[in-house]
Amino acid sequence: MKTSFLRHRLSSALAVVLATTCASPLALRAAETAGELPVEFAVLTHAPHVPPPIGRRHPARVIVNLEVKELVRRLADGVDYTFWTFGGEVPGMFIRVREGDEVEFHLNNSPDSKMPHNIDLHAVTGPGGGAASSFTAPGHSSQFSFKALNPGVFIYHCATAPVPMHVANGMYGMILVEPKDGLPPVDHEYYVMQGEVYTAGRYGEEGLQPFDPAKAEDERAPYVVFNGAVGSLVGDNALQAKVGDIVRIYFGDGGPNLTSSFHIIGEIFDTLYQESGLAVAQHNVQTTMVPAGGSATVEFQVQVPGTYILVDHSLSRAFNKGALGMLKVTGPEDKVVYSGKEIDEVYLGQASTAGSDASKREVALIAERKEAIASNPQIAGLSKEIQMERGKKVFLSACFACHQPDGKGLPGIFPPLAGSDFLKADKERAIRIPIKGLSGPIVVNGKPYNNLMPPQVFSDEQIADVLTYVMNSFGNEDGTVSPADVKRIRTQTQ
Ligand SMILES: [Cu+2]
């Protein structure tokens, strides 16, 4: 349904491209002076994809059709949320037009919606950015037009009261107004937006979570995420590039409240276009501040293969609330640019503070509650497959940073989990490692290691899941660990 929608958009855009290229430049100029512009349908894309460059060097009347849908979507593993969306996903669909275009905007509110919605596009010059003109009840459609006077990368969002709630529920997206002469070509363009979700439950608390107005008012977000969900840009969903490629990311902050300190671990932004504008603001930038309701565009060339981590460098948000994504770069190594033997201290610093007494107590309480639930025979009996999937997510949120996504570790620093004889030899010891951490000399597959693994703050269930995942992945093939096993070992070691 989603792809056919997109295909429809693409094919209508193609038809228009054909139509406009058939018209002679003279006829186009005549139409322009008569105020009659060629008509096009905008190509809209879901994140992290960006519509292709405009290409055209004359203005057009561009028709945008955007549908508001309220729907339940995954926020994190086992956690659902009723999102309000521009186009069915969070963030809203990416819109791309050209400076000087006249945009005919149709906002359609699905008949299944419960709420009225509207749209305030920061690319609009005029009161409310289109908000009042686009106020649309469920099952209705509104139309307004604006001229894209200023080039830039602009946010759009719903501005229906209570506005912070509509935005926190996912009602934000981006519109790029290309400068008249277009943008420099690059190898990949990606669309990433940060936003907070104010759930009634704490981070990771399972079930369908309602919006918590008090937390929103206090700006205490249990979730800060990229592209609408924890893990939307990790593992198989990571952004992709090849060594030598130039990558451009349009990064927006939907908020509603928090400023982002956007950073990519292991990369430097060669070029930064700051705060919506498309003039080069600065070169060689490590972290750029993106205000709520604002954007930045970054460009960088990737020189070395590996996994680069997109974060809000307010790091608790990255490592405890979900604001973490990945860019996977493939291609030949360049040992001069990067030897492959350094450690990013960020991981150790963050992980070591994570073991505070409060978190331990919290983990214990959550584990107690989870065990009470699990002892209900109807709920018990989670299949190994579910455990594996959950464990994979835990692995990708913590262990991968050191043991590497393929479990092979780094020579002399992080021992391998793939084919590890150390792991296999003693299940109880394996369970103790994430709980208590591990330091001092060990030998794994005949090679010595003498380093430090900080304790991993996870619930019994998460530790059981991640160990079960590890014991059955990367060529390892057997063993399961249950939450009860973990609880028993945790009690013994405390
Ligand atoms: Cu709304």
Side-chain angles (χ1 to χ4, degrees):
M1 165 102 184
K2 186 173 67 201
T3 43
S4 69
F5 176 72
L6 194 63
R7 204 174 305 125
H8 168 68
R9 288 276 154 271
L10 284 165
S11 58
S12 28
L14 269 181
V16 172
V17 169
L18 289 176
T20 50
T21 44
C22 290
S24 79
L26 262 183
L28 281 174
R29 218 170 300 140
E32 247 174 71
T33 38
E36 285 166 32
L37 297 177
V39 176
E40 283 192 11
F41 285 89
V43 179
L44 306 181
T45 56
H46 288 292
H49 304 293
V50 175
I54 299 284
R56 144 172 82 66
R57 289 293 171 263
H58 56 82
R61 184 159 185 89
V62 179
I63 300 175
V64 176
N65 260 300
L66 195 54
E67 187 182 25
V68 174
K69 293 182 205 166
E70 301 171 357
L71 70 188
V72 173
R73 289 174 57 81
R74 173 190 166 280
L75 170 60
D77 290 329
V79 186
D80 287 329
Y81 190 81
T82 304
F83 285 100
W84 299 346
T85 71
F86 288 107
E89 294 186 11
V90 179
M93 298 185 92
F94 196 103
I95 306 168
R96 187 167 194 156
V97 300
R98 177 180 175 273
E99 178 184 3
D101 282 351
E102 289 176 21
V103 182
E104 179 183 308
F105 207 101
H106 297 258
L107 189 70
N108 311 310
N109 192 357
S110 163
D112 301 329
S113 294
K114 298 199 172 54
M115 295 289 187
H117 300 285
N118 64 7
I119 192 165
D120 165 356
L121 298 120
H122 292 184
V124 169
T125 307
S133 330
S134 60
F135 186 81
T136 311
H140 285 74
S141 172
S142 300
Q143 181 189 331
F144 68 100
S145 299
F146 67 93
K147 184 157 182 172
L149 296 177
N150 303 71
V153 186
F154 299 101
I155 301 299
Y156 65 77
H157 61 88
C158 183
T160 303
V163 182
M165 178 184 184
H166 282 252
V167 173
N169 283 355
M171 300 199 76
Y172 50 81
M174 259 159 45
I175 174 168
L176 165 61
V177 181
E178 273 190 19
K180 285 200 163 103
D181 297 327
L183 288 166
V186 293
D187 298 294
H188 298 277
E189 290 188 314
Y190 287 118
Y191 168 30
V192 180
M193 273 190 97
Q194 178 168 328
E196 311 108 56
V197 187
Y198 296 92
T199 50
R202 293 195 59 111
Y203 179 87
E205 200 168 309
E206 299 199 343
L208 178 63
Q209 291 293 326
F211 171 75
D212 185 329
K215 278 187 195 157
E217 215 175 297
D218 296 348
E219 303 184 15
R220 277 186 299 118
Y223 292 88
V224 181
V225 294
F226 292 153
N227 289 358
V230 177
S232 65
L233 291 174
V234 309
D236 296 342
N237 300 322
L239 307 180
Q240 308 278 345
K242 292 204 173 60
V243 165
D245 283 352
I246 295 177
V247 179
R248 175 183 292 146
I249 298 178
Y250 299 103
F251 183 87
D253 187 352
N257 299 314
L258 302 179
T259 296
S260 177
S261 302
F262 181 52
H263 174 77
I264 299 185
I265 300 176
E267 261 307 330
I268 293 156
F269 304 141
D270 298 328
T271 303
L272 168 68
Y273 307 83
Q274 218 173 359
E275 296 191 347
S276 318
L278 286 169
V280 174
Q282 180 62 285
H283 292 289
N284 306 322
V285 172
Q286 55 183 334
T287 302
T288 187
M289 190 111 124
V290 184
S295 72
T297 301
V298 298
E299 284 168 12
F300 50 92
Q301 187 174 33
V302 285
Q303 277 88 3
V304 183
T307 302
Y308 297 82
I309 314 290
L310 285 65
V311 293
D312 178 339
H313 216 296
S314 290
L315 289 176
S316 298
R317 299 179 191 165
F319 292 97
N320 303 104
K321 297 185 171 196
L324 184 146
M326 293 180 188
L327 167 69
K328 283 194 182 153
V329 178
T330 52
E333 298 276 0
D334 184 338
K335 296 284 185 194
V336 176
V337 174
Y338 187 66
S339 69
K341 291 191 180 175
E342 307 288 339
I343 309 173
D344 190 326
E345 289 180 18
V346 166
Y347 294 116
L348 292 170
Q350 172 61 21
S352 59
T353 57
S356 72
D357 287 351
S359 328
K360 276 192 198 152
R361 172 96 181 117
E362 184 195 335
V363 166
L365 287 172
I366 291 172
E368 248 176 65
R369 186 187 55 200
K370 287 214 166 135
E371 213 219 356
I373 295 170
S375 61
N376 174 337
Q378 269 184 314
I379 299 169
L382 254 191
S383 78
K384 184 164 163 184
E385 238 168 289
I386 296 177
Q387 253 200 316
M388 293 273 293
E389 289 306 318
R390 292 189 169 170
K392 182 176 186 182
K393 297 298 170 105
V394 175
F395 186 83
L396 288 174
S397 77
C399 326
F400 85 97
C402 301
H403 294 288
Q404 303 302 296
D406 60 5
K408 289 191 180 135
L410 290 177
I413 302 168
F414 301 123
L417 302 177
S420 161
D421 58 358
F422 189 87
L423 170 69
K424 211 167 169 188
D426 186 340
K427 175 167 152 181
E428 301 216 338
R429 178 177 67 189
I431 298 173
R432 262 194 310 274
I433 291 172
I435 298 175
K436 297 289 283 182
L438 186 66
S439 60
I442 57 169
V443 175
V444 182
N445 297 346
K447 301 217 170 68
Y449 295 85
N450 189 359
N451 201 340
L452 166 89
M453 169 169 152
Q456 305 292 302
V457 182
F458 287 113
S459 67
D460 291 350
E461 201 166 60
Q462 286 170 315
I463 288 180
D465 292 347
V466 75
L467 287 172
T468 303
Y469 171 69
V470 166
M471 287 170 176
N472 296 277
S473 305
F474 321 123
N476 300 344
E477 57 191 21
D478 70 302
T480 49
V481 175
S482 72
D485 293 337
V486 180
K487 184 179 162 66
R488 182 169 46 83
I489 304 283
R490 202 192 284 278
T491 324
Q492 282 170 12
T493 55
Q494 264 159 9

